[in-house]
Amino acid sequence: MIDLYDLIRNIQKRPAMYLGQASVSNLRTFLAGYCFARRQLGIPQTSQEQRFAEFPIWIQQKFNLTSNQTWDRIVMFFSQDDRAALEQFFQLFDEFVHEHPIELQADTKTNPIAVARTQE
């Protein structure tokens, strides 16, 4: 199964394929659906998903805001239009990942490839 960060990178390459209309709000909705589906299936959160849960707070700190707005609305507020907001998200996501690295530890519970590698 593809991990969250790879999924986001794939969306960045072909946003219309995943989101229909390339918009930051559609991206947030897509990611919420992804997380909801995993929870419904009883799949435990990966370290990437746990780390990405910190993204909304990081966005508020980045823009020096205290708000009950979702991260996509904050990014949209500071962008010219929805397309620019989506591009801004990917830049912010790269910055977030760089500032919040995840240890290179295979998530063997949800990644069968990682299980195979650890058994070699």
Side-chain angles (χ1 to χ4, degrees), residues 51-71:
R51 181 70 70 185
F52 190 72
E54 300 169 15
F55 186 73
I57 295 167
W58 181 84
I59 287 289
Q60 288 183 6
Q61 292 171 346
K62 177 78 175 164
F63 290 100
N64 199 24
L65 294 172
T66 303
S67 172
N68 61 354
Q69 295 294 320
T70 56
W71 60 261

Side-chain angles (χ1 to χ4, degrees), residues 38-49:
R38 289 180 57 90
R39 277 194 313 274
Q40 289 297 305
L41 293 171
I43 301 172
Q45 276 191 324
T46 65
S47 54
Q48 288 181 356
E49 292 164 357

Side-chain angles (χ1 to χ4, degrees), residues 24-43:
V24 71
S25 297
N26 287 2
L27 174 63
R28 187 188 60 80
T29 301
F30 180 93
L31 294 175
Y34 168 85
C35 292
F36 176 77
R38 289 180 57 90
R39 277 194 313 274
Q40 289 297 305
L41 293 171
I43 301 172

Side-chain angles (χ1 to χ4, degrees), residues 8 14 18 23 25-26 37-38 40 46 51 62 70 72-73 87 90 94 112 114 120:
I8 291 171
R14 300 188 67 184
Y18 291 91
S23 89
S25 297
N26 287 2
R38 289 180 57 90
Q40 289 297 305
T46 65
R51 181 70 70 185
K62 177 78 175 164
T70 56
D72 61 309
R73 293 213 178 249
E87 292 172 13
F90 292 119
D94 286 341
E120 292 177 352

